[in-house]
Amino acid sequence: MEKMNTMKPLFPHLPKRLAGLEDLAENLWWSWNPGARMLFKTLDRQAWKESGHNPDKMLREFPRELLEKAGVDEDYIRRYDHVMEVFHNYMQPKERHLPVTVSRGHEFVVAYFSAEYGLHRSLPFYAGGLGFLAGDYIKECSDLSVPLVAVGFMYPEGYLRQQIRDDGWQENLVESINREAAPISKVLDKDGRQCIVTVPLTDPPIHVAVWKVAVGRVSLYLMDTDVKINAFGDRGISARLYIGDLEQRLRQEIVLGIGGAEMLKTLGIEHYLLHLNEGHAAFALLELIRRHIQMGSEFDLACEKIINYTIFTTHTPVPAGHDVFPFALIEKYFHSYWPILGLDRHAFFQLGIHPEKPDAGFNMTAFALRLSGSRNGVSKRHAAVSRKMWQSLWPEVPEDQVPIDHVTNGVHVPTWIEPKIKLLLDKYIGADWLDNHDDPAIWQLIDNIPDTELWQTHQWLKVKLIDAIRERTRQRWVSGDASDSLILTGGAFLEPSVLTLGFARRFATYKRALLIFQNLERLAKYFKDRWRPIQIIFAGKAHPADDPGKRLLQNLIKLARNPQFGGRIAFVEDYGEQLGQYLVHGVDIWLNTPLPPLEACGTSGMKAALNGVPHLSILDGWWEEGFNGKNGWAVEHDPSSVNPDGSDAEKIYRILEDEIIPLYYKTAENGVPHDWVKAMKATMQSNAARFSARRMVKEYRDKFYLKGMHRKT
Ligand SMILES: *Cc1c(COP(=O)(O)O)cnc(C)c1O
C-alpha cells in the first residue's frame, strides 16, 4: 500500500542480540503493552523517566555499555525474546475485521481524518477528549486489524504546558517538540528525501512534509507545514492546535482536508472510506467529489456517489465548538475551486450555511452533515440533541428521523487499564480475558477477585498517585519560583487514607468545575471532618484564549488556599496523558458536573470505571447509558429550578453525606470496606465492556463501514 519507505533512525550502538528494540521503539504498540514498556524501563529507570517515557529518545542517548550488559543478561534476554515474539505475531494478523478487497480489485481502507490525536505523552498532538478518542480509535483499529490509515497534523508547538502563577492565573509555556527524538519518522520519496506534498489549489502553494507514526498495524500520517520552501506565514499553519486567528484557522483546515486527501494520493492510497472525526477536515469531502466530477459526473451525481463512502462524526453540541468562517474568507480561498465543481459562488456558500442563521458564515458542521453519507453523534443523548440542533437541514422530516445516528464513545482498554489491575484480572478471570474484553459476560467473573486484593491494589494505586503529585510539587518547589501556598495547594497535604474525589478535564465553563462550591460552609464540613474527611484533586487546562475558563481556575486556586477547606483541595498543574493515567487509576470517585446537554459523551469517567473507580456525575453524555443504580451515583439536572447550579450541588452534597461517605468509611475488622468494593466491582462489571473502544469500533464497522465496503461498484 505504501509506496515509500520510511527512514529508520539508527541506534548504532544497539547490540545485535537486541536489534529488535529499534523496531519496538518505532512502533507505539509498546505503549499499550506492559511487557514491552518494561523492556525499556528496566534498562534504566532513571533514563526512562528522563526521556519522558519515550524509547526513541532514551535509546538515542543510552550508553553502549549498559545496552551490552542487557544483551548478555539472561533474564532480560528471556523477556526480550518473549516480547518480540508477541510483537511479531501481532503485526501479522490472522484475521481482518473488515474485508479488504472489494470489486474491481481495489484495496479499500478507511481513511480517518482528525485534527488531533492523543496517543502518548511523547506526542503532544491533542487538546482534550476529541484527541484521546481519535488515539484510542486507531489503536483499537490496529488491535482488530481494521484496514485504516489516519491523517493529522504534526504540531511542533502542540505542547502548551500549564503553569499556575502565584496569583492563580494560568500561564502557557510553549515547549517545542524535538522532531528527531519523537517516535515519528520521515516518510521518504524515491530519492530518499522527505516526502513533500503540495496542497492543491493553494496560491501561493502550501507544501507539507510528511511524517509517520506507527500505531501497531495502523499508520498515522502527519502533515507539517514548517518547511523551508513555504512562505513565512504558511510555515506556521500547523504550528499548534486550533489557531485563534480565523484566516490561519481556515488555512489549517484546508491543509488538513484537501492537503490530507492529496497526501493519501501521493502515498498511493486512492480508494477509501472517508471518516471525518469532527468537522475540521471536512474539505476532504470536496476532493472526493472533485474526483467524480473529473470522471464526468455533475456535482449532484458526484455527491450521491460518495454517499456510501463518507462518515462524519460530530462531537459537540456547544455552539463555539463548530467552526464558522466569514464568506469573504471562503471566497478568497475557494473562488478558483468552485468552478471546478461546476458551482457558482452562491451554490458553494449554500453548502455551508446554517438554515437558521444563513448570514452567520460558512459552518463546517453544516457542510459536513450535508455532504456526508452517514452521520453520527457520540452518545445516545448527544445524537438526539444533534438531531434537534440540525433539524433545519432536513425540514421535510420529523425531528426523530433526522439522519444522525449514534455510536457511543469507548476507551482503549489496553491503554487505560492499570497494569496491576490487569494482573488481578489475568489471575482471576483468565489470562486471555483481553482477547474478549468487549464481552460483558467476562467481567462478571470479577466477583472471583477477593475484596481484600482489589482493595489493596486500589489503595496502592492511590499512594502511587499521591506520590507522583507530591514529587511534581516538590520539583516545582525546588525550582524556586512558586510560593509556599502554591506548593501546599499543589497537593502537599494529600493523604492516602482519605476518601479522594478526582476532577480532571478542560476548564471550559460548561464543565462547571466549581459547581460543588455552591455552598461553602456545607462543603467545608466534609473537608474538615476529623474522622471521615474527603479531599479533592483537580487538574485541567483552560484554552489559552479562554479567559472565563482561566478565571474559573483562578477562583479554584483561591478557594484551595483558604484554610476553611482544611488543605484538602489540590490543584495539579499540566493535565495531560500521564497525569490522566495516574488520576483515573488512583482516586476513589470520579466526579463530573457538566451542564446538560453540553457534555456530548465524556470518556475520562469510562477510564476510571475500567479500573474500578465509581462515577459521581450529573446525568449527561455516556452516563445516561452507563448508570444502573449500583455502579456509581447520578444527579438529574433540573433546568426549571430557580437556581439550577445550587440544586445540582445540593443533590451532590446529599449523595456524599448519605451514601458515599458512610459507604467508604464502613470498614470490616480487616480494614476492607466490603460494600464499597462491591460498588467498585459493579462499576467494572457494568461499564468496562460496554464502553470499550472495541465495542465502539465494531459498531462503526457494522453501521457504516460495511455499507461502503460491500456496495462498491
Ligand atoms: C480521557 C482524557 C480526556 C477526555 O476526557 P473527558 O471526560 O471527555 O473530559 C481529556 N484529557 C485527558 C488527558 C484524557 O486522558
Side-chain angles (χ1 to χ4, degrees), residues 126-130 132 411 416 504-506 511 575-578 580-581 590 592 599 601-605 607:
Y126 59 85
L130 180 70
F132 283 97
V411 297
W416 296 102
R505 46 187 53 82
R506 282 181 302 114
K511 300 214 180 214
Y575 181 47
E577 185 265 337
Q578 185 171 28
Q581 292 274 7
W590 195 253
N592 193 13
E599 180 88 316
C601 182
T603 51
S604 55
K607 300 167 190 168

Side-chain angles (χ1 to χ4, degrees), residues 607-679:
K607 300 167 190 168
L610 174 65
N611 291 283
V613 173
H615 205 205
L616 164 59
S617 172
I618 307 286
L619 272 180
D620 199 15
W622 78 281
W623 195 227
E624 287 213 331
E625 293 162 60
F627 176 62
N628 70 5
K630 288 186 296 201
N631 57 0
W633 292 271
V635 169
E636 181 93 61
H637 174 70
D638 177 10
S640 66
S641 153
V642 276
N643 174 6
D645 285 355
S647 108
D648 284 355
E650 185 64 32
K651 291 175 193 162
I652 292 176
Y653 300 142
R654 218 171 309 142
I655 290 173
L656 277 173
E657 210 165 300
D658 298 344
E659 301 183 38
I660 293 181
I661 295 174
L663 199 67
Y664 181 88
Y665 283 107
K666 194 182 108 200
T667 52
E669 274 176 22
N670 59 3
V672 177
H674 289 287
D675 291 340
W676 184 265
V677 176
K678 208 158 143 186

Side-chain angles (χ1 to χ4, degrees), residues 31-70:
S31 72
W32 68 91
N33 286 273
R37 255 181 348 243
M38 286 310 279
L39 276 187
F40 297 112
K41 184 171 173 177
T42 52
L43 275 177
D44 185 77
R45 271 170 184 267
Q46 188 65 22
W48 176 241
K49 195 169 169 203
E50 276 163 17
S51 72
H53 298 184
N54 173 353
D56 192 302
K57 184 162 191 284
M58 176 177 167
L59 287 184
R60 253 166 232 278
E61 296 162 2
F62 207 63
R64 177 191 294 264
E65 312 83 75
L66 290 183
L67 285 172
E68 278 166 3
K69 218 166 117 196

Side-chain angles (χ1 to χ4, degrees), residues 378-395:
V378 289
S379 71
K380 211 163 159 178
R381 178 162 193 187
H382 173 232
V385 170
S386 301
R387 286 192 286 270
K388 190 176 167 126
M389 268 179 87
W390 297 105
Q391 172 167 23
S392 57
L393 286 177
W394 288 273

